Structures are given as C-alpha cells and as structure tokens.
Amino acid sequence: MQWSDLLCAERIRPSRKSNQRDLRTEFEKDYHRIIGSASFRRLQDKTQVFPLDKSDFVRTRLTHSLEVSSFAKSLGQSVGERILTEGLDPGFVPQYREDMADILQCAGLIHDIGNPPFGHFGEEVIREWFVANLPRFTFRDKPLTDWLSPQMQREFYQFDGNTQAFRLVSKLHFLVDEHGMNLTKALLCTIMKYPVSSLESDPSSPDIRLHKMGYFLADEENFKNVQESCKTFGKRHPLTFLLEAADDIAYKTADIEDAFRKGYFTLDVFIKNLKSYSYGPSSVYAKMVTALENGYASAWEKNVRWPEDYAIQNWIISVQGRALVAATNSFIEHYEEIMAGTYGKNLFAGTFMETMMRALGEIADRFAFQSTSIYGVEIAAKNTLEYLLKEFTEAAIVYDTDLSPTSVQIRFMEMISDNYINIYHLYSKGKSEEEKLYLRLLLVTDTICGMTDSYARLLYRELMGID
C-alpha cells in the first residue's frame, strides 16, 4: 500500500467546484461536516459505559469520541514525524503528516457514531434478539430465515456499531443526497476496522481484521469503491491501527476513572489488583504502579482534599502519555508489515504497555461492568430495545408490500425518519422481494441506532403507557 493512495481525498460523490478562497484541505472540510451534524450531536445522549447515568462527570459517547479524536490526532502527528525523520518511506512528504493527523482527528469523532442506545450492551441485545427471533418471524407464511441469504442473516446475528457507522456516514445521514456526509474515501477507509463481510469474519482468528464484519451487503458497492480508491483490497488501512490504539487508550483509562468516581472500588483495591498481574520488579509496569502509590503519598503531603482522586487522575494522564509512546513505537517497528497488510495484532501487543492495557480492561470489567447497579439498568435497557425491535420489525415486514398492515404497524412506520424511508425506497427500487425484505429489516436497525438513550427510553414508556 502507498500513502499516495491511502490518503485519497476523493469522495464517493465528487465534490462540487471548490471556492478558491476556501483554503481548507478536503480532510479539514470533513471535520466541519462532522461536528455540524445531528448524528454527531446525538452522541451526547448515548451511553459510553454507564447507561442513563445522571452524573455530569461520567463520560458519554460524545466526550469519549472527543478524547479518541484528540489521541488519534496526536498519534498521527507523532507517527508522521517519525516516518519523515527516520526516512522510512521515500514517497512520504510533509503534507502527508498533516493529512494523517486530520484524518485521524475526524475518524475519532465518528468511530462510534453508528452505535445503538445503551452502549455495547445495546449491540449485544440487538444481536441476541435477532438470533432468537429471525427464525420465528414469518413473511408470506415462511420464516424470515428462508427468505434471507446466509450473509444477510449473519449480518443481523453479528450486528456491530462499527459496521453501522460506515453505513450511517456513507448513506443514511441525508446531508444533500443519498451519499450521507459524503466524507473523503481515506476517512471512510480508516473507520473500517474489519474490512470483511459477515461470511468472512472469524472472532477466533489471529488476524485482528477478521474479528468482526465491516460492512453490510447493502453497502458493498460503497465498500468496494472506497477500497478500490485507497488500494487496500481487504487489508486494513494503516491509520486504522492508530485509530484503534487511540480508542483503547481513551476507554481503558476513562473506564477506570469513571468507575472510581462512581465508587466501584477504592484506590487501595485498585492498586492491589494492579499488583496481582505478573511483571518484573524493574519493569515499566512496576514503575507505573509505584508512581501511583507515590502520587497518593504526595497528595497527602500536599494536604490535597481528595488525595485518592488526585492520585488517580494524575496517574491516568501519565499512563495515557506512555500508551501514546508505545503505540507510536509499535507502528514504526512494524511499519513494513502494516504497509504490506500482513500485521494482524493491535499496536500494544508485545510492548511495555501490553500488561497495563490488559489490567485496566479486566479491572474495569470486574468492578464496574459486573456490578448489580449496572445490571439493573441494563435489564431495563434490554426490555426497551426488545420491545422496539419487535414492534418495528413486525411493521417493517409488511411495509411496502401488498399485505395489509395493522393500524399500529402503520403508526410505527410513521415514526421512522423520512431520510431512512427515502433511502430504503431509493435502494429497493427494482430489487427482488428477498432483497427488499432485507432492506426493510435494515430499516429497523437504522431506526434503533438513530435513537439516543433518553429518546428510546421515553418512547418505550410512552408506548407502554407508563407514567
């Protein structure tokens, strides 16, 4: 792969003639398209970890995305500078460094833009619901599984917010036409973490690009268009590794900070858990644990009012800095493999930060994600999503057919965005009955994913007659 192709500034719909007084690059224009969009604003009311949390401290998808954007841009700047100064690629020019940073800044903003309400738990509910219900629902007296191809079925069974993000920004977000935000192809390729179909995905594969599906069959044309322009052809875009590293840094450190602030564990318990991992006494990991203990002691000496908070927050900033260095070094170390498309791990694998990143993730999972307070909210979220999935699916199955919908089904279809309905009619024109059914089911997931936490919860309560 070559950077001249990878940093493709073209759009699926060619841009209109540019205003000569507009000095922005195409990637800088992407940034303004994103932050001015309603889809991006909705992230302020979508769960990061703690659903429907009332605290203004705990992160939402919006604040998480802003953090990822910041880390991703920093990684782009650092890696670009290293490529230049170390002469790793004769074809790499200074402008590419700036372009990398701008693309990654934008990618961080939209990497979670397709996620449904209630965080990753929402994704799990959608997947489990389709596994249980696709064979139960019928259309013209046949189970839906008899209508849908294996690829179509697996897309619902493997439903993922990353896949929905590509669909949203390239098609659903009706800015001017059916091309969504019409972002640059380099940016679209970067957010595609798993450039394979649902039939090719394999969570157990040692190659990280195969762990999930990356696009819906309905969006295959756009997928191929982007791959062709960037010349990736089923490989991961190199910037995707940096985006993923930025995401890992942001959520693994933020989850610890948020969980600590919510009282799921004390500093003492956190340190004891950190020490339970295997590491050498002179390792970087050991030094980081010691730094946390020293930070707490220093806070006491300074008479800081909340010494545990002080220690945790300062330590997290230090960990984030170390993680940025580790990811940068790893990208440079594996540069040739990454550019050849043969590197199949994350950037922290084999680095001095690998144990720490694993520890942070597992400790957060143990104390926060498995807490009874989270379970209660998640059960309520499950009831909400399952009700909406059932009702919208029943309505969508008979929509745009010669079958007669009930009065309730008509009303549910009226609740769906006109943009989504228009996109359905545009792409279903001339299609077979099987393909139309598939597109109507996507209309359901499109609608659910377009909801914020609060809207989904309010809609459920209103429809169920709950005061």
Side-chain angles (χ1 to χ4, degrees):
M1 294 182 284
Q2 302 294 324
W3 287 110
S4 56
D5 299 318
L6 293 167
L7 302 179
C8 178
E10 296 173 4
R11 304 178 189 275
I12 294 177
R13 172 178 51 74
S15 298
R16 297 183 177 88
K17 188 175 181 181
S18 178
N19 184 336
Q20 293 183 349
R21 289 177 293 181
D22 188 347
L23 302 180
R24 296 175 299 168
T25 67
E26 292 302 314
F27 307 123
E28 290 171 330
K29 292 175 185 177
D30 279 347
Y31 180 84
H32 294 103
R33 292 185 184 206
I34 293 165
I35 62 171
S37 71
S39 299
F40 179 67
R41 289 195 298 276
R42 286 192 198 101
L43 294 175
Q44 67 186 313
D45 191 16
K46 286 197 174 186
T47 294
Q48 171 59 20
V49 174
F50 304 102
L52 301 172
D53 195 271
K54 295 180 175 62
S55 169
D56 58 2
F57 175 85
V58 171
R59 290 164 173 84
T60 64
R61 282 284 166 194
L62 179 62
T63 48
H64 166 71
S65 297
L66 291 170
E67 290 173 341
V68 174
S69 176
S70 175
F71 290 138
K73 181 175 183 177
S74 295
L75 285 171
Q77 291 170 327
S78 298
V79 167
E81 183 65 21
R82 292 279 297 275
I83 295 172
L84 281 172
T85 57
E86 296 178 26
L88 297 179
D89 193 328
F92 193 89
V93 298
Q95 181 58 46
Y96 289 172
R97 175 188 54 200
E98 308 307 318
D99 291 344
M100 285 172 59
D102 289 338
I103 292 167
L104 284 165
Q105 181 181 33
C106 292
L109 295 178
I110 62 173
H111 79 287
D112 278 348
I113 205 167
N115 280 38
F118 313 120
H120 291 300
F121 180 73
E123 293 173 293
E124 293 176 19
V125 172
I126 292 173
R127 289 192 289 264
E128 292 172 359
W129 188 86
F130 276 111
V131 168
N133 290 283
L134 264 189
R136 298 179 186 176
F137 280 90
T138 61
F139 176 57
R140 301 195 189 282
D141 299 323
K142 290 197 306 184
L144 296 189
T145 47
D146 286 357
W147 288 93
L148 303 177
S149 70
Q151 180 174 353
M152 292 172 181
Q153 292 178 48
R154 286 181 59 134
E155 287 177 1
F156 294 105
Y157 300 156
Q158 299 177 21
F159 181 84
D160 186 77
N162 287 306
T163 310
Q164 187 69 20
F166 179 77
R167 177 169 172 77
L168 175 66
V169 299
S170 65
K171 186 176 290 183
L172 298 180
H173 185 94
F174 203 95
L175 188 63
V176 175
D177 53 25
E178 70 276 13
H179 296 105
M181 294 184 189
N182 198 34
L183 303 171
T184 56
K185 294 179 182 179
L187 175 53
L188 292 175
C189 204
T190 296
I191 65 170
M192 207 178 300
K193 293 173 67 174
Y194 311 100
V196 294
S197 72
S198 62
L199 296 176
E200 301 167 285
S201 63
D202 179 8
S204 63
S205 171
D207 189 344
I208 197 169
R209 73 183 180 89
L210 301 177
H211 285 183
K212 298 178 182 179
M213 69 168 180
Y215 64 94
F216 291 109
L217 179 62
D219 306 316
E220 186 175 37
E221 183 179 347
N222 281 342
F223 168 78
K224 289 182 176 179
N225 185 320
V226 169
Q227 292 264 300
E228 171 67 33
S229 295
C230 294
K231 302 293 187 295
T232 49
F233 303 116
K235 302 181 181 71
R236 256 192 173 191
H237 194 294
L239 296 187
T240 306
F241 289 96
L242 297 175
L243 173 63
E244 184 175 57
D247 190 19
D248 287 345
I249 295 169
Y251 85 79
K252 289 192 175 182
T253 55
D255 288 355
I256 290 296
E257 184 177 13
D258 287 355
F260 172 77
R261 278 296 188 97
K262 287 182 67 65
Y264 287 118
F265 53 77
T266 63
L267 179 62
D268 183 57
V269 168
F270 179 55
I271 291 174
K272 286 180 179 177
N273 275 269
L274 285 176
K275 289 183 175 180
S276 69
Y277 288 80
S278 299
Y279 58 90
S282 60
S283 67
V284 174
Y285 185 94
K287 293 176 181 177
M288 283 192 280
V289 176
T290 300
L292 178 56
E293 293 176 308
N294 292 342
Y296 180 59
S298 175
W300 271 106
E301 292 174 3
K302 295 177 181 178
N303 293 317
V304 174
R305 185 176 182 184
W306 307 109
E308 289 194 355
D309 294 53
Y310 176 91
I312 281 279
Q313 287 183 300
N314 281 277
W315 182 78
I316 282 174
I317 293 170
S318 173
V319 169
Q320 290 169 343
R322 286 182 177 273
L324 289 170
V325 170
T328 300
N329 290 343
S330 181
F331 190 97
I332 297 302
E333 180 182 348
H334 299 289
Y335 184 74
E336 291 186 5
E337 298 167 79
I338 290 172
M339 295 301 290
T342 58
Y343 186 70
K345 301 177 181 179
N346 69 64
L347 291 182
F348 295 109
T351 72
F352 64 83
M353 280 297 296
E354 182 176 22
T355 301
M356 180 57 72
M357 297 298 282
R358 179 166 61 89
L360 295 177
E362 291 177 355
I363 292 171
D365 182 66
R366 191 178 310 136
F367 289 96
F369 305 157
Q370 298 180 27
S371 66
T372 54
S373 60
I374 286 287
Y375 289 159
V377 177
E378 287 181 339
I379 290 171
K382 178 176 182 290
N383 292 336
T384 298
L385 289 176
E386 288 185 342
Y387 171 79
L388 295 175
L389 283 164
K390 174 181 177 296
E391 297 296 338
F392 277 112
T393 297
E394 288 179 346
I397 287 173
V398 299
Y399 177 72
D400 194 31
T401 69
D402 57 3
L403 300 175
S404 297
T406 66
S407 58
V408 171
Q409 289 168 349
I410 291 172
R411 284 161 175 76
F412 266 94
M413 293 307 298
E414 287 292 325
M415 294 181 192
I416 296 178
S417 162
D418 287 343
N419 288 349
Y420 296 173
I421 291 290
N422 291 337
I423 289 294
Y424 162 75
H425 284 293
L426 177 66
Y427 287 98
S428 65
K429 188 176 182 179
K431 294 292 195 300
S432 67
E433 199 158 35
E434 292 85 351
E435 292 173 297
K436 286 184 176 181
L437 174 61
Y438 162 67
L439 292 175
R440 292 198 300 275
L441 292 175
L442 281 181
L443 194 53
V444 174
T445 51
D446 292 342
T447 299
I448 298 294
C449 290
M451 296 180 182
T452 63
D453 292 19
S454 296
Y455 178 78
R457 180 171 178 264
L458 179 61
L459 181 62
Y460 171 72
R461 292 174 65 86
E462 288 181 347
L463 296 176
M464 292 295 290
I466 300 172
D467 185 8

